[in-house]
Amino acid sequence: TMQSSGHRFRDVEHHPLLAENDSYDSSSSEADMAERVWFIRDGCGMVCAVMTWLLVVYADFVVTFVMLLPSKDFWYSVINGVLFNCLAVLALSSHLRTMLTDPGAVPKGNATKEYMDNLQLKPGEVIYKCPKCCSIKPERAHHCSICKRCIRKMDHHCPWVNNCVGEKNQRFFVLFTMYIALISAHALILCGFQFFSCVRGQWTECSDFSPPVTVILMIFLCLEGFLFLTFTAVMFGTQIHSICNDETEIERLKSEKPTWERRLRWEGMKSVFGGQPSLLWINPFAGFRIRQILLRSKKGGPEFSV
């Protein structure tokens, strides 16, 4: 407990009182964080992230080289090949943006006397800090034991993207689940057509691979597509429902009563995706500034902020 500034200072994990838009010394720590590439050095998360990319690459290989290139229908191959590969690029781009975007981390060690004096708190007002990362906790922030940081509007930590899903990267995570669900559904449809075509043609000229190899590759793709479609479709629906109700998964599981003014339905969607509905909502490249990345590399390369 600290009362030198006329207010009480508690070490607690939950129920913060600071507003969401309170920040810590934007001229120093926040500016430094903006110059760094966000990356979580978690072994399990990095393995899951690499597996995600390998599974997408495997699906692209089977679709392209096993099913489409051997096809005698030129336009069928071109249209489906372009569509599948575009969706794959969008999915992997969304994955990268989710993984490498700061989810809304509260600066470490901002629980200082100088910072608390700048907050201009009323005498006797209680503020809360996280004892694990020694930071003042804004409202709706939660501590992630893997990221070792307090995250604003933390929804959950996802090992598949090796990052928390929070205030600043939830949009990219939603796009990732959507595009993975779409390419999974597309792959399953193509597998159905391919099996039908192969059986009808008695497996002659069905693929450049032998019939046993073709069957094995397609069975694995079907299993992968079904599992990923089920998982990402459910996750996509859950995320959209949470956004429309302005409630994170942690808040829902803990049945926390909202102390904030909820943004419902379209207001919640516009808050997460930014602005009025447009094609930018489904564009994972929106807001990406390659010039900043080049400037950072000239300064000596990216740094890990976690």
Side-chain angles (χ1 to χ4, degrees), residues 259-282:
T259 57
W260 60 93
E261 185 179 349
R262 281 189 171 182
R263 298 169 174 168
L264 298 180
R265 301 188 184 281
W266 279 112
E267 289 302 316
M269 293 288 288
K270 287 190 287 186
S271 173
V272 171
F273 288 90
Q276 295 297 325
S278 69
L279 289 177
L280 292 177
W281 278 24
I282 59 173

Short mmCIF file of all heavy atoms in Angstrom, two decimals, residues 259-282:
data_model
loop_
_atom_site.label_atom_id
_atom_site.label_comp_id
_atom_site.label_asym_id
_atom_site.label_seq_id
_atom_site.Cartn_x
_atom_site.Cartn_y
_atom_site.Cartn_z
N THR A 259 -18.29 -3.00 -16.30
CA THR A 259 -18.22 -1.70 -15.64
C THR A 259 -17.99 -0.62 -16.68
O THR A 259 -17.73 0.53 -16.34
CB THR A 259 -17.07 -1.68 -14.61
OG1 THR A 259 -15.83 -2.01 -15.29
CG2 THR A 259 -17.30 -2.68 -13.50
N TRP A 260 -18.02 -1.00 -17.94
CA TRP A 260 -17.80 -0.09 -19.05
C TRP A 260 -19.10 -0.01 -19.87
O TRP A 260 -19.97 -0.85 -19.79
CB TRP A 260 -16.66 -0.60 -19.94
CG TRP A 260 -16.92 -1.94 -20.53
CD1 TRP A 260 -17.46 -2.22 -21.76
CD2 TRP A 260 -16.65 -3.21 -19.94
NE1 TRP A 260 -17.56 -3.57 -21.95
CE2 TRP A 260 -17.07 -4.21 -20.86
CE3 TRP A 260 -16.11 -3.62 -18.70
CZ2 TRP A 260 -16.96 -5.57 -20.58
CZ3 TRP A 260 -16.01 -4.97 -18.45
CH2 TRP A 260 -16.42 -5.93 -19.36
N GLU A 261 -19.17 1.03 -20.70
CA GLU A 261 -20.33 1.17 -21.58
C GLU A 261 -20.12 0.28 -22.79
O GLU A 261 -19.20 0.49 -23.58
CB GLU A 261 -20.50 2.64 -22.01
CG GLU A 261 -21.75 2.87 -22.84
CD GLU A 261 -21.93 4.32 -23.23
OE1 GLU A 261 -21.18 5.17 -22.69
OE2 GLU A 261 -22.79 4.61 -24.08
N ARG A 262 -20.98 -0.70 -22.93
CA ARG A 262 -20.81 -1.68 -24.01
C ARG A 262 -21.11 -1.08 -25.39
O ARG A 262 -22.07 -0.34 -25.56
CB ARG A 262 -21.72 -2.87 -23.79
CG ARG A 262 -21.20 -3.86 -22.76
CD ARG A 262 -22.03 -5.12 -22.75
NE ARG A 262 -21.41 -6.14 -21.93
CZ ARG A 262 -21.91 -7.36 -21.79
NH1 ARG A 262 -23.03 -7.70 -22.40
NH2 ARG A 262 -21.30 -8.25 -21.03
N ARG A 263 -20.24 -1.47 -26.36
CA ARG A 263 -20.53 -1.14 -27.75
C ARG A 263 -21.17 -2.38 -28.37
O ARG A 263 -20.51 -3.41 -28.49
CB ARG A 263 -19.23 -0.81 -28.50
CG ARG A 263 -18.52 0.41 -27.94
CD ARG A 263 -17.13 0.50 -28.55
NE ARG A 263 -16.42 1.70 -28.17
CZ ARG A 263 -15.14 1.91 -28.38
NH1 ARG A 263 -14.41 0.98 -28.97
NH2 ARG A 263 -14.56 3.04 -28.02
N LEU A 264 -22.41 -2.27 -28.75
CA LEU A 264 -23.12 -3.45 -29.23
C LEU A 264 -23.19 -3.51 -30.75
O LEU A 264 -23.25 -2.49 -31.43
CB LEU A 264 -24.54 -3.48 -28.64
CG LEU A 264 -24.60 -3.58 -27.11
CD1 LEU A 264 -26.04 -3.60 -26.63
CD2 LEU A 264 -23.87 -4.83 -26.61
N ARG A 265 -23.16 -4.72 -31.26
CA ARG A 265 -23.33 -5.05 -32.67
C ARG A 265 -22.39 -4.25 -33.56
O ARG A 265 -21.18 -4.38 -33.46
CB ARG A 265 -24.80 -4.90 -33.08
CG ARG A 265 -25.72 -5.81 -32.25
CD ARG A 265 -27.14 -5.80 -32.76
NE ARG A 265 -27.99 -6.60 -31.88
CZ ARG A 265 -28.06 -7.92 -31.88
NH1 ARG A 265 -27.34 -8.61 -32.73
NH2 ARG A 265 -28.86 -8.55 -31.04
N TRP A 266 -22.94 -3.38 -34.44
CA TRP A 266 -22.10 -2.72 -35.44
C TRP A 266 -21.08 -1.79 -34.80
O TRP A 266 -20.00 -1.59 -35.36
CB TRP A 266 -22.96 -1.97 -36.45
CG TRP A 266 -23.52 -2.86 -37.51
CD1 TRP A 266 -24.82 -3.21 -37.69
CD2 TRP A 266 -22.77 -3.56 -38.50
NE1 TRP A 266 -24.94 -4.09 -38.75
CE2 TRP A 266 -23.70 -4.32 -39.27
CE3 TRP A 266 -21.42 -3.64 -38.83
CZ2 TRP A 266 -23.31 -5.13 -40.34
CZ3 TRP A 266 -21.03 -4.44 -39.90
CH2 TRP A 266 -21.98 -5.17 -40.63
N GLU A 267 -21.42 -1.20 -33.66
CA GLU A 267 -20.46 -0.32 -33.00
C GLU A 267 -19.23 -1.12 -32.56
O GLU A 267 -18.11 -0.65 -32.66
CB GLU A 267 -21.11 0.37 -31.80
CG GLU A 267 -22.13 1.42 -32.17
CD GLU A 267 -21.55 2.51 -33.05
OE1 GLU A 267 -20.43 2.97 -32.76
OE2 GLU A 267 -22.20 2.90 -34.03
N GLY A 268 -19.46 -2.33 -32.07
CA GLY A 268 -18.35 -3.20 -31.69
C GLY A 268 -17.53 -3.62 -32.89
O GLY A 268 -16.29 -3.64 -32.83
N MET A 269 -18.20 -3.95 -33.98
CA MET A 269 -17.50 -4.35 -35.20
C MET A 269 -16.66 -3.20 -35.75
O MET A 269 -15.50 -3.38 -36.14
CB MET A 269 -18.51 -4.81 -36.25
CG MET A 269 -19.24 -6.09 -35.90
SD MET A 269 -18.21 -7.56 -36.00
CE MET A 269 -18.04 -7.73 -37.78
N LYS A 270 -17.24 -2.00 -35.76
CA LYS A 270 -16.50 -0.84 -36.27
C LYS A 270 -15.32 -0.50 -35.38
O LYS A 270 -14.29 -0.03 -35.85
CB LYS A 270 -17.44 0.35 -36.40
CG LYS A 270 -18.42 0.23 -37.56
CD LYS A 270 -19.18 1.52 -37.83
CE LYS A 270 -20.22 1.78 -36.77
NZ LYS A 270 -21.07 2.96 -37.11
N SER A 271 -15.47 -0.77 -34.07
CA SER A 271 -14.37 -0.51 -33.15
C SER A 271 -13.18 -1.43 -33.42
O SER A 271 -12.02 -1.01 -33.37
CB SER A 271 -14.86 -0.69 -31.72
OG SER A 271 -13.80 -0.60 -30.80
N VAL A 272 -13.47 -2.70 -33.71
CA VAL A 272 -12.40 -3.68 -33.94
C VAL A 272 -11.82 -3.57 -35.34
O VAL A 272 -10.59 -3.58 -35.53
CB VAL A 272 -12.92 -5.11 -33.69
CG1 VAL A 272 -11.88 -6.15 -34.13
CG2 VAL A 272 -13.26 -5.31 -32.22
N PHE A 273 -12.69 -3.46 -36.35
CA PHE A 273 -12.23 -3.47 -37.74
C PHE A 273 -11.91 -2.08 -38.27
O PHE A 273 -11.22 -1.94 -39.27
CB PHE A 273 -13.27 -4.14 -38.63
CG PHE A 273 -13.35 -5.62 -38.44
CD1 PHE A 273 -14.21 -6.17 -37.50
CD2 PHE A 273 -12.56 -6.48 -39.18
CE1 PHE A 273 -14.28 -7.54 -37.30
CE2 PHE A 273 -12.61 -7.85 -39.00
CZ PHE A 273 -13.47 -8.38 -38.05
N GLY A 274 -12.40 -1.04 -37.61
CA GLY A 274 -12.06 0.32 -37.98
C GLY A 274 -12.96 0.93 -39.04
O GLY A 274 -12.92 0.48 -40.19
N GLY A 275 -13.74 1.93 -38.65
CA GLY A 275 -14.55 2.67 -39.61
C GLY A 275 -15.78 1.92 -40.10
O GLY A 275 -16.15 0.87 -39.59
N GLN A 276 -16.38 2.50 -41.13
CA GLN A 276 -17.57 1.93 -41.73
C GLN A 276 -17.22 0.66 -42.51
O GLN A 276 -16.07 0.49 -42.94
CB GLN A 276 -18.23 2.94 -42.68
CG GLN A 276 -18.77 4.18 -41.97
CD GLN A 276 -19.89 3.85 -41.00
OE1 GLN A 276 -20.69 2.95 -41.23
NE2 GLN A 276 -19.95 4.58 -39.89
N PRO A 277 -18.20 -0.25 -42.70
CA PRO A 277 -17.94 -1.48 -43.46
C PRO A 277 -17.37 -1.20 -44.84
O PRO A 277 -17.89 -0.36 -45.57
CB PRO A 277 -19.33 -2.13 -43.55
CG PRO A 277 -20.08 -1.60 -42.37
CD PRO A 277 -19.58 -0.20 -42.17
N SER A 278 -16.29 -1.87 -45.17
CA SER A 278 -15.65 -1.71 -46.49
C SER A 278 -14.78 -2.93 -46.73
O SER A 278 -14.62 -3.80 -45.87
CB SER A 278 -14.81 -0.42 -46.54
OG SER A 278 -13.68 -0.54 -45.70
N LEU A 279 -14.18 -2.97 -47.91
CA LEU A 279 -13.28 -4.08 -48.25
C LEU A 279 -12.02 -4.08 -47.37
O LEU A 279 -11.35 -5.10 -47.25
CB LEU A 279 -12.88 -4.00 -49.73
CG LEU A 279 -13.99 -4.32 -50.74
CD1 LEU A 279 -13.47 -4.13 -52.17
CD2 LEU A 279 -14.50 -5.76 -50.55
N LEU A 280 -11.73 -2.94 -46.75
CA LEU A 280 -10.56 -2.87 -45.86
C LEU A 280 -10.75 -3.79 -44.65
O LEU A 280 -9.77 -4.21 -44.04
CB LEU A 280 -10.34 -1.43 -45.39
CG LEU A 280 -9.88 -0.43 -46.46
CD1 LEU A 280 -9.77 0.96 -45.87
CD2 LEU A 280 -8.54 -0.86 -47.05
N TRP A 281 -12.00 -4.08 -44.30
CA TRP A 281 -12.25 -4.95 -43.16
C TRP A 281 -11.66 -6.34 -43.38
O TRP A 281 -11.24 -6.99 -42.42
CB TRP A 281 -13.77 -5.07 -42.93
CG TRP A 281 -14.35 -3.94 -42.16
CD1 TRP A 281 -13.84 -2.67 -42.04
CD2 TRP A 281 -15.56 -3.95 -41.39
NE1 TRP A 281 -14.67 -1.90 -41.26
CE2 TRP A 281 -15.73 -2.65 -40.84
CE3 TRP A 281 -16.52 -4.92 -41.12
CZ2 TRP A 281 -16.81 -2.32 -40.04
CZ3 TRP A 281 -17.61 -4.59 -40.32
CH2 TRP A 281 -17.75 -3.30 -39.78
N ILE A 282 -11.66 -6.81 -44.62
CA ILE A 282 -11.18 -8.17 -44.89
C ILE A 282 -9.78 -8.16 -45.50
O ILE A 282 -9.33 -9.18 -46.03
CB ILE A 282 -12.16 -8.92 -45.81
CG1 ILE A 282 -12.33 -8.19 -47.15
CG2 ILE A 282 -13.50 -9.11 -45.13
CD1 ILE A 282 -13.15 -8.96 -48.17
#
